[in-house]
Every structure is written in structure tokens, then in C-alpha cells.
Amino acid sequence: MSDLLRAPAELKYAEELDWLESIDTGPKPFTWRLSPKMIRLFVLGSERSDGLDREIAQKWFGDRSIVERAIVTLASDRGLLLIGDPGTGKSWLAELLAAAICRDSTLVVQGTAGTTEDHIKYSWNVSMVIAKGQSRESMIPSPIMTAMEAGAIGRFEELTRSTSDVQDALISILSEKYVSVPELDDDAIVFAKPGFSIIATANSRDRGVNDLSSALKRRFNFVRIPVVTNKKSEAEIVRFRTEELLRRHEIELEVPPNLLDVLLQSFADLRAAAAAARSDDEKLESSLSTAEQIGVLEDAILHSNFFGERALTAHTLAASLVGSLARREPEDLAIINKYLHGVVEPRGKEEGGAWPEFLEGGRSAIAGLS
């Protein structure tokens, strides 16, 4: 895996999945590789009460009931729709579930305005069609059709960004569990095998882009992923992702706990300000999600490693925050500047610690962008 920029979950955790499969004695739906209880354990990590001979690390941080409902849905004949704000871990949860169920999380369709029916059904190898005509050999199955034939999990990212034609085509797949290929005389229908299901994700902020029809909504069980607001849980997520980054880049750099606290508190402050804002112009364009926090910290770590003194500082962290969150000029810069002077400056005078340096770093970054 060292030659892969980002290994899918089934490769990254292959040894762990093999071990879980070897000790799994629970009932498994269809052709699932793991039982529902083991899938939950793989996603949420083990506890002492599980009585395992080894520890299984937590990979997704969220409510236990969300994971259980998702697994139960996939064991039924309905699709699973994970919906929530950007950066809430929808795609990561979908990948982990697919990896645990069928050991293949790569059967993915990315929903965009340019996604067509071919992307969820099939297309043709033009050169083979010219040479030999249309046949199963010259047909190029979509990731969804491949999942159907294998009895595996297909994934559809950003479902509400795809057009109504694509969504309508998905209705027949979820309802009938087959795809008709009228161009073929023989083998003109591709049937789904037991175990096939679809995990789709949708961004709650995309409501109104391409709303789902009532017919398509009935084919999905909706599972809403809330924004993480618990500081302890959020700190665990940020720390987990940061440690992965450090290992991947082979960086030996400490993230001081007080700087992680500064990052968490600054995002909490900015979220509170966004909630109190009277108009969108008074809100940052950023969703201020946990994923955004991870991005800010990763940027600061990499900058410190390559251009700093190989030590993370509050100055660098503040510069990273400004650079990552200031997407509109001058609106976002004005909002961050107001936060620095109205909240960070008084806090720095009262509490000291890393806040005065964080204030200076933020001011310098704004000055450089203004």
C-alpha cells in the first residue's frame, strides 16, 4: 500500500478485516463477509466488554444508533441515503460499510450535473462494437451494474447533484433490481444478486439543486448525520485524522494539546457567530465542519514541516485558519477580522496562553491577503 496515495478502507484495514472475519460466528445476511455486529465493531471500534484478543480502533465517530440503522437498512431491500452537512463523515461511513460488507468500496458513481444514465447503467467499447458488434464483451458496465452482478454494495456520491433523468433511472434499479439492455438479443437483462444495495450520500446544503422525487425517496431509508458539536468527540476525530496524515507523510511533529484546544474553540466561536448572524453576508462561506478543522490543521502541520521550524505554532495555525476559511474577499476577511478583534484579542488579554500569538498570526495573514 505504500505506493498508493490513498488506499481504500478494505486495503488499509485488510489485516483487521481478515482477523474479524476469522473469529466471526454471527449470522450474515446474503453474501456479507461480516455479520452486522462485527461490522458495527469494525466501524465504531472495540470495547473491553467485547472480550476480543486485540483492540479494534474506532474509525468513524458518531452515534452508535446511526451505524446500526445504516447496517439494518443495507440488510433489507432498500437503499441507504446518508444525508448531512458537508464534512460530517458521510462518504467515510459509506466507504467503511462497503469495505466491511463486501470488501470493495470502490464501486462509486460521483453525482454531478454531467452524470448520465450511462454512469449508472452501462456504455459501450466503441472499437469492439465496430469490430464485433454489440455484445456483453463490448459492454462497459457501470460501477452500479458491477455491484449488481457481484451482489456487492454500490455507492452514489452527491445524489442531489445529479439530474432528474439519472435519479429516475436509479428508481428502476432500486425497485426491480435489474437493468434491461435492449441492444442485446441474448443476455438482455442483468439481474442483481443477493447482497446488492446502494449507499448514496446527499449534502443537506444542496437542497433545491435537484430535489429527490417522492418515488426515489421511497426507495431509500434516510439516515441523517448530524454535525459533531461535542468537543471531546470532535477532538478525537481531528486527532485521528491528523495522526493518519503524519504517518502517511512520515512527519515527526507534535501537535500540542493547547493548540488543538485553540483550534476547537475558534471553530466553536465562529459557528456561534454564524448561528447569530442575521444574513448570509455575515456568515463565512465555509461550513465550519469538522472536516474543515482537519484541513486547517493539516495545512498548518505541512507548512510547519516544510517551511517552519518543524514545530507547530499558534502563529502558523492562525495563518492556516485565515487562508483556509477566507474564500470570499472582502466579506470573509472582514468576518474573521471581527472575530479576532472582538473575541480573540480580549481572550488573549484575559487568559494568555497561545491566544496572543494566535491573534498576531491571524492579523498577519489578513494583512497579507488584503
Side-chain angles (χ1 to χ4, degrees):
M1 291 196 302
S2 59
D3 58 344
L4 299 181
L5 181 61
R6 182 192 179 281
E10 61 270 18
L11 294 182
K12 184 176 182 178
Y13 301 110
E15 190 272 336
E16 189 173 282
L17 286 166
D18 286 340
W19 185 79
L20 288 173
E21 192 171 344
S22 71
I23 65 166
D24 192 1
T25 58
K28 305 177 183 69
F30 311 116
T31 56
W32 286 21
R33 300 287 293 271
L34 292 176
S35 65
K37 284 187 176 180
M38 280 298 181
I39 294 170
R40 183 186 64 186
L41 190 147
F42 170 71
V43 174
L44 295 177
S46 60
E47 299 176 354
R48 186 171 297 178
S49 59
D50 293 316
L52 299 181
D53 293 335
R54 58 177 287 180
E55 182 182 0
I56 302 299
Q58 187 171 3
K59 303 166 189 66
W60 187 81
F61 296 81
D63 194 277
R64 182 191 191 101
S65 64
I66 291 174
V67 177
E68 291 178 351
R69 177 166 163 73
I71 294 170
V72 168
T73 296
L74 294 172
S76 71
D77 62 349
R78 296 169 69 86
L80 170 65
L81 179 61
L82 302 174
I83 185 167
D85 282 354
T88 48
K90 303 181 297 294
S91 297
W92 179 232
L93 177 57
E95 181 178 337
L96 289 171
L97 290 171
I101 289 171
C102 60
R103 301 293 284 267
D104 189 352
S105 65
T106 63
L107 301 174
V108 186
V109 173
Q110 183 66 49
T112 68
T115 304
T116 66
E117 283 190 50
D118 291 352
H119 292 109
I120 63 170
K121 288 186 174 180
Y122 59 89
S123 56
W124 299 97
N125 183 319
V126 177
S127 60
M128 288 186 67
V129 170
I130 293 173
K132 300 180 180 179
Q134 290 176 319
S135 65
R136 285 301 297 269
E137 289 184 353
S138 59
M139 187 174 72
I140 304 173
S142 71
I144 299 297
M145 182 179 280
T146 300
M148 292 175 68
E149 292 184 292
I153 301 295
R155 294 170 52 204
F156 199 122
E157 291 289 312
E158 306 292 356
L159 180 59
T160 50
R161 288 190 174 272
S162 58
T163 62
S164 57
D165 291 344
V166 174
Q167 294 183 18
D168 288 344
L170 200 58
I171 292 175
S172 64
I173 292 176
L174 288 167
S175 299
E176 310 301 333
K177 301 296 192 294
Y178 68 78
V179 172
S180 178
V181 188
E183 296 91 339
L184 299 180
D185 294 327
D186 300 322
D187 297 327
I189 298 180
V190 175
F191 291 97
K193 291 184 178 178
F196 165 71
S197 192
I198 292 177
I199 305 176
T201 64
N203 191 330
S204 54
R205 294 199 175 198
D206 287 340
R207 186 171 297 166
V209 176
N210 287 301
D211 286 333
L212 304 182
S213 66
S214 298
L216 186 55
K217 286 179 179 178
R218 287 198 302 273
R219 271 70 180 184
F220 279 110
N221 268 356
F222 283 55
V223 174
R224 299 191 178 275
I225 312 294
V227 174
V228 178
T229 56
N230 181 279
K231 267 192 176 183
K232 182 180 178 182
S233 298
E234 198 163 39
E236 289 176 342
I237 297 171
V238 174
R239 193 177 295 111
F240 174 76
R241 287 297 194 185
T242 304
E243 288 173 355
E244 283 191 332
L245 172 82
L246 294 172
R247 285 195 298 269
R248 187 165 70 243
H249 289 277
E250 298 181 352
I251 295 174
E252 294 183 5
L253 186 146
E254 290 290 329
V255 179
N258 66 321
L259 292 188
L260 183 57
D261 290 339
V262 167
L263 177 65
L264 293 168
Q265 185 60 54
S266 63
F267 265 72
D269 294 336
L270 290 168
R271 286 173 186 155
R278 291 170 292 183
S279 68
D280 288 342
D281 290 338
E282 297 178 359
K283 299 179 183 179
L284 289 171
E285 189 175 87
S286 164
S287 64
L288 296 172
S289 66
T290 305
E292 296 275 14
Q293 284 193 69
I294 294 167
V296 169
L297 187 55
E298 286 183 351
D299 180 82
I301 288 172
L302 292 174
H303 191 280
S304 300
N305 185 67
F306 296 133
F307 302 110
E309 300 177 357
R310 294 183 177 272
L312 185 62
T313 65
H315 191 284
T316 303
L317 185 64
S320 174
L321 182 141
V322 173
S324 298
L325 301 186
R327 297 171 183 174
R328 300 173 302 173
E329 293 184 24
E331 295 90 347
D332 284 352
L333 285 177
I335 293 169
I336 297 173
N337 190 54
K338 180 180 178 181
Y339 165 64
L340 291 174
H341 287 276
V343 178
V344 175
E345 187 173 6
R347 183 178 290 149
K349 291 178 181 179
E350 182 179 341
E351 300 180 13
W355 289 106
E357 186 183 351
F358 185 79
L359 172 65
E360 184 58 35
R363 282 174 170 169
S364 298
I366 289 176
L369 292 173
S370 302

